[in-house]
Amino acid sequence: MHLLLVILFFLEAQFCVQSSDSSSPAGENLATNGLPFPWSKVRLPSYIVPVHYHLLIHPNLTTLRFNGSVKIEIDVKNNTNWVVLHSKNLKIFTATVLDEHEAHLSDKVLSVLEYPSHEQIAIFSPKILTSGEKYFLYLEFGAPLSDGFYGFYKSTYKTKAGETRVLASTHFEPTSARMALPCFDEPIFKANYTVRIRRGPSHIALSNMPLEQTVEIGNGLFEDQFEVSVRMSSYLLAFIVCDFRSVSGMTATGINITIYAVPEKWHQTHYALEAALRLLEFYEQYFNILYPLPKLDLIAIPDFQAGAMENWGLTTYRETSLLYDPDISSASDKLWVTMVIGHELAHQWFGNLVTMEWWNDIWLNEGFARYMEFVSLEAVYPELKVEDHFLDTCFGAIGRDSLNSSRPISSLAENPAQIEEMFDTVSYDKGACILHMLRNFLTNEGFQSGIIRYLRRFKYSNARNEDLWDSLIKTCSEEEFTAGEYCYSSTQATKNAYRFAGEHIDLKKMMYTWTLQKGIPLITVKRQGRKLYIGQERFLKIVLPDDPSWHSLQEGYLWHIPLTYKTSHSDYEMKHILTTKSDVLTLDEEVDWVKLNSDMNGYYIVHYDEEGWNALTELLRINHTALSFKDRASLIHNAFQLVTAGRLSLNRALDLIGYLKSETHNVPLLQGLGYLQSFYKMIEKRNIADITHNLKTYILQYFRDVIDKQSWSDDGMVSDRRLREEVLSLACDFDYPPCLEKAKHLYNSWVESNGAISLPTDVSETVYMVGAQDDSGWAYLLEKYGVSMCETEKSKFLSALASSKDSEKLSRTFWSELKSCLDDALEPLILAPPLTL
Ligand code: BES
Ligand code: ZN
């Protein structure tokens, strides 16, 4: 039998040679049974593509194992005897290939080769599978429910009565569908899925699509059959067996939305329902494409590694990302839940309907979903003032991107570990920031119509970086081009040119400089009379300009930068596109000051000359509202970034924020405060008591007015509430006596009422932190942590417990917790009979 396989493999190698994917020299890769594995690449061959999966799966919540079968309709593109697909940690019991009439191609049991380091299996069909014909691959398999957070995994929760209950849930993105079923686990292989799930009577089963019918199959088991899915990638498949409760509602367009949670947290699901209904309706309008499934579920899973996951029709969440308790959750908790829902619902279009061809372009999913959080919330929940936080997203991206270890937005990723690494601040936050820059450049309407064109062109299919740029602007005739702003000319001469402020721009070329090149540009500005001398270079922290490696790290870097600026004599934005290393702009008249990068809508840092910084510092001091709050925050950010890069003195930056005593907007205030706080933390670590004390007094004098103005309540708009949360937390952290007193007082009354009185939600964490500083307060919080049924509350208890300055107590608790975990884990080993060799 083995000899036959080897001979047939050599025959097959010839078929493979015809396919462009094949390069596997025979004998290089050995399967687990010692035979040559017919495929040597991490990515699957493209000569077999899945069309339709029929999946039956039965998780047994008592034995904690699952068994399943899958029949995959496949299309053969090139003649071959081998089917290579993904499988990880699955035991394959049977493998068969059927013809289009579902008749067995061979009466023998087919052997399955396994190649675990590529998470692949290969099935050999003695009969050649011919190109253009339809076949079915049938496999039976099983495995223990995974113990981690990927694949088909076990999750547990405790009821108030102390009973532990089990559920089984999936998380597949990016490469774990192969842990739950053998499949072609790459985003390009879109297929339809028909799912059946077996379960006991006290559980429900959920999957991407609505339930079609339930059949009682005997032995106290039920089989739920779900409708056929739309064409989608394997990482979006999901199924869950649990005993949850739910609330439902319907959108204006008839989509059924349901929120699920463990039964005792059911009352925390109502806010998510309202948000999901409103946000789904928003996206249907904004994208001008209806959500294609009849239902959308949002489910809070007790054990969940990521924040949330966008499985089509069955989105999964960490409890803190979905559940909201009006009596306990703070304004920030509400904002977080709304943003997470906004993110996962955006993926139903960006990611699910149009998917990146390969993981190197994951930013097309994540960058868009991150950006749409802001676009959707701004439209649907203006009172949440989400735009206040957008700058933080870009500041986060800049932090990473100003190190030489950063990477381009689109970058190579082949194996699962590299793919996992792509889900980082570059894909998410830099992606969102350059989309924001592009939107400001194209105008809101231009951007919206462009992305609608992209979604329509690639729906139920896959796209790459360049497809987005090609779709963003419509093609038009020379006449239309001359008359209209937003089109590419179809004639050769001006092809790909797009008009911007009278100039011809190649949008694709421009966006490549942001997506294929790592780093962030620094714009330097020198003003002489009416002339502005502008230069661009790569902004790098740590490496100073006098470092010998500085020049080589700059080499080859050039961006096409849409510049915007305001001056003391213009209250509107001026625009210019910089495509060279340096340029000179001429202003209409002499001005007192110039501020580049209006509202920080562009992804670049600006460094002015001595006079430039002086003029802006002076402007902030006398009339800070002449600049928008975003301009103020971005000046503070840029100045401190330049300090860390050794380009500006700390004194200059401190001068700039001298005006903060009269600042009332939370964004620049918190920006300045953040830098002072990190400065303080550095000094505090050095343990020089009087310097630490002086610095504390110095910082407090900036913010005393703002702190004293705060009430210990939940009153006001979300932005006021978030400012209160931050400022009071800082004041108590700095041991500001009035803050400590008030917090201690609130903590004592909370303890006296045995947790019955509800603390103002926005300050509760600060109150717990102050309470945790003495032994009895700490012990009481630990006890409350053990019994709370609200995850957001638990996380506040936890940070308060961790904030204790008594490090010995912390490590004692840590070790006793660890010991009890280890005891639980080791118990089965201790009870198991000794191994016989
Ligand atoms: N698609 C991701 C989930 C994911 C993250 C899968 C990492 C694989 C690896 C999801 O849409 C997501 O982005 N989740 C975020 C939370 C969200 C609010 C930004 C997460 O999990 O951090
Ligand atoms: Zn996402």
Side-chain angles (χ1 to χ4, degrees):
M1 173 72 182
H2 283 174
L3 184 65
L4 183 69
L5 265 177
V6 174
I7 295 167
L8 286 165
F9 163 63
F10 283 116
L11 281 178
E12 189 275 338
Q14 301 198 340
F15 294 115
C16 279
V17 172
Q18 297 163 3
S19 104
S20 59
D21 288 308
S22 167
S23 63
S24 120
E28 229 179 39
N29 312 57
L30 295 185
T32 45
N33 61 0
L35 286 174
F37 193 77
W39 189 250
S40 65
K41 296 183 177 176
V42 187
R43 287 173 63 173
L44 296 180
S46 56
Y47 56 76
I48 293 202
V49 297
V51 176
H52 196 143
Y53 290 80
H54 300 264
L55 173 70
L56 170 64
I57 204 140
H58 177 200
N60 184 326
L61 300 185
T62 315
T63 61
L64 302 179
R65 284 189 57 83
F66 66 96
N67 282 321
S69 67
V70 65
K71 188 177 80 186
I72 313 173
E73 181 187 331
I74 51 175
D75 249 1
V76 178
K77 306 279 183 197
N78 286 80
N79 293 357
T80 182
N81 293 81
W82 290 99
V83 184
V84 182
L85 70 166
H86 287 112
S87 168
K88 183 179 171 188
N89 299 342
L90 294 174
K91 178 130 188 66
I92 311 285
F93 303 123
T94 342
T96 336
V97 181
L98 311 166
D99 68 12
E100 63 176 328
H101 308 293
E102 306 206 11
H104 288 251
L105 283 194
S106 158
D107 47 8
K108 296 210 180 61
V109 175
L110 302 185
S111 72
V112 179
L113 299 187
E114 295 178 9
Y115 192 61
S117 62
H118 286 177
E119 303 173 357
Q120 290 169 357
I121 54 172
I123 292 128
F124 180 79
S125 161
K127 213 167 166 188
I128 291 179
L129 308 177
T130 355
S131 143
E133 302 280 311
K134 168 168 155 179
Y135 298 93
F136 294 96
L137 178 66
Y138 177 78
L139 298 147
E140 287 178 7
F141 55 90
L145 283 168
S146 167
D147 243 345
F149 299 97
Y150 287 97
F152 198 15
Y153 70 94
K154 174 194 82 169
S155 168
T156 55
Y157 70 93
K158 264 202 167 94
T159 63
K160 267 189 202 145
E163 181 196 349
T164 301
R165 296 200 182 157
V166 183
L167 60 134
S169 178
T170 55
H171 179 100
F172 291 166
E173 194 183 19
T175 58
S176 296
R178 61 193 74 169
M179 293 172 74
L181 68 150
C183 59
F184 298 80
D185 198 10
E186 293 179 5
I188 188 91
F189 293 120
K190 290 199 172 186
N192 301 100
Y193 290 81
T194 306
V195 177
R196 287 180 296 152
I197 303 176
R198 293 193 173 163
R199 56 161 179 93
S202 49
H203 288 100
I204 55 167
L206 299 169
S207 186
N208 306 76
M209 298 299 292
L211 184 66
E212 197 167 60
Q213 60 164 327
T214 301
V215 185
E216 197 168 349
I217 55 165
N219 278 342
L221 284 180
F222 292 83
E223 188 176 298
D224 289 331
Q225 304 185 353
F226 298 88
E227 290 175 20
V228 187
S229 80
V230 289
R231 255 173 71 80
M232 62 183 196
S233 306
S234 50
Y235 78 89
L236 292 170
L237 180 66
F239 33 88
I240 298 171
V241 172
C242 64
D243 64 349
F244 287 5
R245 269 190 79 185
S246 63
V247 288
S248 296
M250 193 173 275
T251 63
T253 46
I255 312 295
N256 210 330
I257 297 197
T258 309
I259 317 291
Y260 291 88
V262 305
E264 284 166 338
K265 292 177 182 168
W266 177 80
H267 66 282
Q268 300 172 31
T269 54
H270 296 81
Y271 175 70
L273 178 61
E274 179 211 302
L277 285 166
R278 292 178 62 181
L279 288 163
L280 197 75
E281 285 172 1
F282 168 80
Y283 284 132
E284 286 193 324
Q285 278 176 8
Y286 188 86
F287 297 134
N288 197 16
I289 300 176
L290 291 177
Y291 173 75
L293 312 187
K295 66 99 175 172
L296 171 63
D297 297 333
L298 297 87
I299 180 165
I301 306 288
D303 301 288
F304 198 80
Q305 166 126 43
M309 174 65 210
E310 69 266 25
N311 317 297
W312 214 340
L314 177 53
T315 55
T316 45
Y317 300 77
R318 205 178 253 241
E319 290 190 339
T320 44
S321 304
L322 189 69
L323 303 182
Y324 175 80
D325 186 331
D327 295 331
I328 296 174
S329 311
S330 65
S332 328
D333 296 333
K334 184 177 200 170
L335 180 67
W336 173 246
V337 167
T338 323
M339 288 180 88
V340 178
I341 297 176
H343 180 105
E344 301 313 331
L345 299 204
H347 274 313
Q348 306 301 306
W349 285 262
F350 278 100
N352 301 8
L353 188 65
V354 178
T355 314
M356 69 279 147
E357 215 171 275
W358 181 248
W359 301 106
N360 62 321
D361 275 330
I362 186 63
W363 87 277
L364 290 175
N365 279 12
E366 298 303 348
F368 260 106
R370 168 61 33 96
Y371 190 48
M372 292 312 296
E373 292 171 30
F374 291 91
V375 176
S376 63
L377 262 69
E378 212 173 315
V380 179
Y381 289 98
E383 70 281 8
L384 293 182
K385 293 246 186 289
V386 74
E387 69 272 19
D388 284 6
H389 308 285
F390 189 70
L391 287 188
D392 287 335
T393 305
C394 302
F395 295 159
I398 293 168
R400 163 84 189 275
D401 217 15
S402 50
L403 299 175
N404 192 35
S405 58
S406 187
R407 61 168 186 87
I409 286 188
S410 285
S411 36
L412 198 85
E414 286 292 299
N415 62 44
Q418 292 167 337
I419 293 169
E420 191 82 35
E421 281 178 6
M422 296 291 286
F423 292 80
D424 66 354
T425 183
V426 173
S427 290
Y428 280 76
D429 301 326
K430 182 175 178 182
C433 293
I434 64 153
L435 288 172
H436 183 69
M437 177 165 69
L438 182 69
R439 182 163 171 237
N440 276 281
F441 178 65
L442 295 178
T443 74
N444 290 354
E445 299 70 32
F447 178 80
Q448 187 180 355
S449 60
I451 61 173
I452 293 175
R453 200 170 307 114
Y454 165 78
L455 289 172
R456 286 194 184 282
R457 209 174 270 177
F458 296 96
K459 63 181 173 195
Y460 300 111
S461 174
N462 301 75
R464 311 163 177 221
N465 209 7
E466 62 172 322
D467 297 325
L468 174 66
W469 313 131
D470 283 338
S471 314
L472 268 181
I473 295 177
K474 68 170 187 257
T475 323
C476 60
S477 67
E478 194 63 45
E479 297 80 63
E480 282 172 308
F481 176 72
T482 323
E485 278 276 309
Y486 306 113
C487 58
Y488 285 134
S489 159
S490 48
T491 64
Q492 230 20 56
T494 42
K495 197 150 186 242
N496 290 347
Y498 165 73
R499 282 199 324 176
F500 168 75
E503 298 170 67
H504 282 179
I505 309 296
D506 184 335
L507 191 82
K508 194 196 257 182
K509 220 171 172 183
M510 165 175 150
M511 292 318 291
Y512 276 172
T513 71
W514 299 99
T515 50
L516 303 184
Q517 155 177 267
K518 68 179 177 184
I520 170 160
L522 171 69
I523 296 285
T524 52
V525 191
K526 273 193 193 358
R527 185 157 57 88
Q528 274 173 5
R530 283 169 52 216
K531 295 245 184 285
L532 283 185
Y533 294 89
I534 310 270
Q536 65 161 300
E537 63 189 66
R538 179 178 171 204
F539 177 68
L540 277 171
K541 272 196 229 177
I542 303 179
V543 191
L544 304 180
D546 53 5
D547 189 307
S549 63
W550 197 81
H551 282 286
S552 65
L553 289 170
Q554 289 288 339
E555 239 164 72
Y557 281 84
L558 183 77
W559 285 267
H560 290 192
I561 309 172
L563 292 181
T564 53
Y565 56 97
K566 283 182 202 153
T567 72
S568 48
H569 288 65
S570 68
D571 50 5
Y572 57 95
E573 217 172 82
M574 314 290 283
K575 294 179 179 178
H576 172 71
I577 180 132
L578 179 69
T579 53
T580 49
K581 277 270 173 200
S582 58
D583 208 346
V584 186
L585 301 181
T586 309
L587 303 173
D588 293 339
E589 56 202 312
E590 290 244 358
V591 296
D592 300 328
W593 53 264
V594 186
K595 160 76 177 63
L596 267 81
N597 201 0
S598 305
D599 283 347
M600 193 146 180
N601 288 330
Y603 188 71
Y604 55 91
I605 289 179
V606 187
H607 187 17
Y608 303 90
D609 56 3
E610 180 78 20
E611 290 85 61
W613 279 116
N614 283 345
L616 289 166
T617 307
E618 189 58 12
L619 175 68
L620 288 181
R621 201 178 59 78
I622 27 182
N623 180 18
H624 67 269
T625 52
L627 294 176
S628 72
F629 78 84
K630 290 184 189 173
D631 276 336
R632 287 166 355 232
S634 78
L635 277 177
I636 298 173
H637 169 267
N638 284 195
F640 278 91
Q641 289 302 306
L642 289 163
V643 171
T644 58
R647 301 290 289 264
L648 194 71
S649 74
L650 180 60
N651 276 343
R652 298 291 296 105
L654 290 176
D655 278 352
L656 184 87
I657 60 167
Y659 91 98
L660 280 180
K661 283 178 198 150
S662 38
E663 180 61 87
T664 51
H665 199 287
N666 63 340
V667 175
L669 256 178
L670 292 176
Q671 186 63 27
L673 194 55
Y675 281 114
L676 290 174
Q677 208 170 358
S678 50
F679 188 37
Y680 172 78
K681 296 276 172 210
M682 280 190 261
I683 301 292
E684 193 189 26
K685 282 207 180 76
R686 309 212 162 175
N687 270 337
I688 314 169
D690 52 340
I691 299 187
T692 314
H693 177 79
N694 287 348
L695 188 60
K696 216 188 264 185
T697 320
Y698 171 78
I699 296 175
L700 276 174
Q701 53 120 18
Y702 273 108
F703 299 101
R704 187 167 291 126
D705 282 355
V706 187
I707 298 169
D708 291 344
K709 254 192 247 154
Q710 303 302 323
S711 66
W712 291 67
S713 70
D714 281 340
D715 296 342
M717 303 279 288
V718 174
S719 48
D720 305 326
R721 294 179 56 181
R722 287 182 45 93
L723 179 66
R724 172 186 306 138
E725 186 178 340
E726 297 276 346
V727 161
L728 290 181
S729 147
L730 174 101
C732 283
D733 192 32
F734 277 7
D735 303 322
Y736 181 52
C739 185
L740 291 178
E741 253 164 56
K742 184 73 192 176
K744 192 85 203 140
H745 173 73
L746 281 171
Y747 187 78
N748 290 340
S749 15
W750 180 68
V751 174
E752 272 157 32
S753 75
N754 196 16
I757 60 159
S758 39
L759 293 170
T761 61
D762 302 327
V763 294
S764 59
E765 190 167 328
T766 300
V767 172
Y768 301 145
M769 279 191 184
V770 172
Q773 298 313 322
D774 67 49
D775 283 354
S776 65
W778 199 87
Y780 185 73
L781 280 173
L782 186 62
E783 183 194 321
K784 283 279 168 200
Y785 175 78
V787 296
S788 171
M789 288 301 282
C790 174
E791 285 303 311
T792 50
E793 183 176 55
K794 284 180 86 157
S795 77
K796 291 184 176 96
F797 289 151
L798 205 55
S799 19
L801 289 165
S803 76
S804 163
K805 299 197 171 118
D806 179 351
S807 53
E808 207 182 299
K809 183 159 43 187
L810 281 180
S811 58
R812 254 201 328 272
T813 317
F814 173 73
W815 283 113
S816 73
E817 277 291 311
L818 187 66
K819 191 173 163 303
S820 79
C821 285
L822 282 177
D823 286 348
D824 286 351
L826 294 177
E827 195 180 25
L829 291 181
I830 296 162
L831 296 178
L835 283 177
T836 44
L837 295 171

